[in-house]
Amino acid sequence: RDFNMLQTPLLPMILGIILKIFGNELIVMRITGVFLISFIFFMIYKILKLFNVNSTLSLFLVFLIFCLLESVLCIDYNFCVLALTLSIIYLEIKYYNNNKFNFLIGFLAGCCILFKQSTGLFIALVSIIIKLININIKKDFKLFFKTVSLRICGILIPIIFLILYLLYNNAFFDF
């Protein structure tokens, strides 16, 4: 409540836990940033491989993206949202007809909201609306509502966690 924050507090909460475990040092933040950025590049590579892009070309493209973004790479809520969005994209592409991952996709979209509410809300809405593309016949509506309900439940869990956290700390109205 004492600090003015524009984004939702999931990243500071996660970083607080990491700093508590590994020590309150700048190197811990740098290493955490390296893991985040490495995960982003790994997900880009995996998505390119899903599209059957040659391994050499995939590595070159990832390296090119790294060279373009080198000066701005750090631990940041925007990069956390990017990492989760790439994970959602990977799950959507790899498990296109598999409904096992709908809750996980919703949960990741809900976590996007907790990293940054503006882009997170957009990602959550898109993760729900994207299922409209697959509806062709009436029997697909039942599958659509099942899929959407699982995704909405996944989205709501992180949001409910945040609301409970804010209420517990008497910070809801300040937020």
Side-chain angles (χ1 to χ4, degrees):
R1 293 187 304 182
D2 295 336
F3 299 100
N4 185 14
M5 290 179 64
L6 298 176
Q7 73 274 8
T8 42
L10 185 58
L11 182 61
M13 291 169 132
I14 292 171
L15 293 177
I17 292 169
I18 292 172
L19 288 172
K20 190 75 165 168
I21 293 170
F22 296 108
N24 197 5
E25 301 289 331
L26 180 61
I27 190 71
V28 174
M29 293 292 288
R30 302 276 188 202
I31 292 170
T32 306
V34 166
F35 279 118
L36 175 65
I37 300 304
S38 298
F39 179 76
I40 289 171
F41 290 131
F42 176 72
M43 291 308 299
I44 292 170
Y45 176 79
K46 294 295 282 182
I47 290 169
L48 288 172
K49 292 303 290 177
L50 286 177
F51 287 114
N52 296 322
V53 176
N54 185 351
S55 293
T56 307
L57 181 59
S58 296
L59 287 173
F60 175 74
L61 291 173
V62 168
F63 180 73
L64 183 66
I65 294 169
F66 173 76
C67 290
L68 291 173
L69 297 177
E70 167 194 15
S71 64
V72 296
L73 295 177
C74 62
I75 186 87
D76 183 61
Y77 58 90
N78 290 312
F79 287 120
C80 291
V81 171
L82 177 61
L84 293 180
T85 304
L86 288 170
S87 299
I88 291 170
I89 291 169
Y90 177 77
L91 290 171
E92 285 281 3
I93 295 169
K94 182 156 177 108
Y95 304 105
Y96 179 70
N97 289 324
N98 192 343
N99 291 321
K100 292 180 181 178
F101 295 96
N102 287 318
F103 182 80
L104 178 61
I105 289 171
F107 184 79
L108 292 174
C111 288
C112 286
I113 295 171
L114 296 191
F115 279 119
K116 187 176 182 188
Q117 62 270 27
S118 57
T119 54
L121 284 171
F122 180 74
I123 291 166
L125 285 174
V126 169
S127 73
I128 293 170
I129 294 172
I130 196 75
K131 284 301 178 181
L132 284 172
I133 296 170
N134 296 338
I135 296 177
N136 292 328
I137 53 176
K138 290 185 179 182
K139 71 176 183 175
D140 284 345
F141 281 111
K142 184 178 179 182
L143 180 62
F144 167 75
F145 286 119
K146 180 181 176 187
T147 301
V148 168
S149 62
L150 282 171
R151 289 189 182 198
I152 290 173
C153 288
I155 290 169
L156 289 178
I157 286 179
I159 293 172
I160 290 170
F161 167 75
L162 175 66
I163 291 171
L164 291 175
Y165 173 80
L166 293 173
L167 288 173
Y168 177 76
N169 289 312
N170 292 325
F172 185 75
F173 291 108
D174 294 323
F175 177 72

